[in-house]
Every structure is written in structure tokens, then in C-alpha cells.
Amino acid sequence: MQLWFSEDQTRHIRISVRIKAVLHRETTPYQEVMILDTVELGRMLVLDDIIQVTEHDEFCYHEMMSHVPAFTHPRPRRALVVGGGDGGCVRELLKHPTIEQVDLCEIDEAVVRACRQYLPEVAAGLDDPRCRILIQDGIAYVKDCRDHYDVVVVDSTDPIGPAVGLFDEAFYRAAARALTADGVFVAQTESPFFFQDILLRARRNAEASFAHAALYWGVVPTYPGGFWTYTMGSKTVDPARPDPEALARRAAAVKTRYWSPEVHRQAFVLPPFVRDLVAR
Ligand code: AG3
């Protein structure tokens, strides 16, 4: 028998992944949480039928979400991850020697629990003494923070359900207030092929809330289109022009498989169709 999981990536395009077993399935007040064991991609976290993490390609996403903002900041000490209950971004941020604290603000404790049990390598950082887990709504949490974090990473789901507000301008402005004077913000902003409206809205929000706004990209094979974007806001440092020497020096302390100083710099070089899209 063949068992397949399919995600509708758009209304007319699907990705299907062959499954060995359903390891966990639970309906929470927020969503359906599933962990599937797949034939080719290792274990996979699926929320409301949308692929969030596979063991085989999660590093592509988590490294770009974490290291690009962390290396943009001159000396990050405190970081906040909004969403990201699997712990992948926490694990990457903790690799930075200057990091003293990473707060994870995840709305659904079931995601954290399932990932700790079934995706221990992704969730590895959650037991680090520098990590604090807050099970609460990230929008409400960020609204009450002032001048506290050096880096804010918004590791959200697609803008459906509880994540909708994370794509609003009010949230971007609140995140800017939660950041210190040279703070850096990043959000995952979907595919430039299929979700241009999401990306453009994030871009406008970042421009309205930060001195510098920049888009960068990376490859995540299991996300729609495979070509993924990240939108950054920064209060002082221009993210698109990192100092190559500083990057190379700091990179020596951080072990990665996707991110490198060269990948970091080229990530801000946009193919003309994306450049033109955001320049509009
Ligand atoms: N964050 C979700 C990225 C969006 C995936 N979208 C999709 N497959 N349609 C992932 C959380 C990982 N920490």
C-alpha cells in the first residue's frame, strides 16, 4: 500500500510526500498538529495540512531565518522568536557566542511538545538554559515589550488562522518598539512566484516601521516554489551591505550547512523579477 500526504500549495498546485507512518495527530484549540514519518524527507511537522518542517531541509530555512539577522546585528545578546515552536530558529540563534537569552513565544504548547518528542534534533535548543519558552500569543507579548530584544525573528505559519496578525503593520511597529536601538527584525514572507501580495505587504510594513527594509531569499525545497523570501527591518545597520570581513571573522564560531558569509551576501542580490516586484 502507498500512503501519501498532499499539501495544496496553491489552489491548483500540490506537493505529495510518501509517508511511512503517522507518528502523532492532535487537534488543539489552534490547529491540527501532525508529525509524519516520510520515506525521503525524514520526519515532518504539518500544521493544518501545511508542511512546516522536514528533517531533510529544515536547516535551509532555520539557518537563513536566524543567521542573517543575527549576523546583521553587531553584537546580539537577546533574541525573540515569535512562533517557531519546533525550536529550529532557537537552536540556530544559540550558536552565536554573544547570545545570552533566546525567548520563544509560541501560541500552541502542543507544537512544542510534539516536536520535543518526535523532532529532538530540531528542538535541541529548547532545553538550553539560555532559552525561555513562553506559551502565549506573540502579538500580545510583543505589544507589551519595550527596547528589549536585539533580534526578533517571526517564524510564523502562512497568514491563515492565528498567524494573520503577524503580517499586519501594527505588529511590525510593535516589534520595532520591542527592539533595542540597533535592533534587527526578520519575518518569513513566502514565495515571490505564488504569494506576491504577502511579500509586498510585508515589505511596506517593514518600510513603514524601520529605517532600513531589505528582502533576501533562499531555497527551501518543500515550501511552495522552493524559492523563499525573508523580509528584514533594521534600525541602524543597512542589512543589504554587510561588512565581508566582519562576517567572515564571526562565521568561524558558528557551524552551518546552508548559511555562509558568501550565501549571506548573495541572498540580498535579487533576481530581476523579484527586484522589480519590490521596486514597484
Ligand atoms: N514556518 C512556516 C513557513 C511556511 C510554510 N508554508 C507552506 N509550506 N505552505 C515554518 C516553521 C518552521 N520553524
Side-chain angles (χ1 to χ4, degrees), residues 7 50-53 61-62 86 155-156 158 188 223-224 228:
E7 169 183 331
I50 304 286
I51 298 175
Q52 305 295 324
V53 171
Y61 175 82
H62 290 131
D86 51 82
D155 184 9
S156 73
D158 300 340
Q188 72 86 2
Y223 289 172
W228 211 246

Side-chain angles (χ1 to χ4, degrees), residues 123-143:
L126 300 179
D127 293 319
D128 190 289
R130 290 168 295 166
C131 173
R132 184 167 67 141
I133 301 176
L134 310 162
I135 300 296
Q136 65 187 88
D137 177 9
I139 297 169
Y141 178 73
V142 166
K143 208 196 274 169

Side-chain angles (χ1 to χ4, degrees), residues 27-46:
T27 303
T28 77
Y30 302 102
Q31 56 207 341
E32 182 191 58
V33 178
M34 270 203 299
I35 308 273
L36 303 176
D37 197 12
T38 77
V39 177
E40 275 203 39
L41 298 169
R43 293 180 176 181
M44 180 164 87
L45 169 69
V46 175

Side-chain angles (χ1 to χ4, degrees), residues 24-81:
H24 183 85
R25 188 173 186 184
E26 163 180 18
T27 303
T28 77
Y30 302 102
Q31 56 207 341
E32 182 191 58
V33 178
M34 270 203 299
I35 308 273
L36 303 176
D37 197 12
T38 77
V39 177
E40 275 203 39
L41 298 169
R43 293 180 176 181
M44 180 164 87
L45 169 69
V46 175
L47 300 177
D48 280 342
D49 290 329
I50 304 286
I51 298 175
Q52 305 295 324
V53 171
T54 85
E55 282 183 319
H56 281 205
D57 71 353
E58 56 86 12
F59 69 98
C60 304
Y61 175 82
H62 290 131
E63 290 186 11
M64 290 304 274
M65 277 292 273
S66 309
H67 299 308
V68 180
F71 281 113
T72 296
H73 191 283
R75 198 185 154 74
R77 291 192 301 131
R78 283 194 293 259
L80 171 68
V81 178

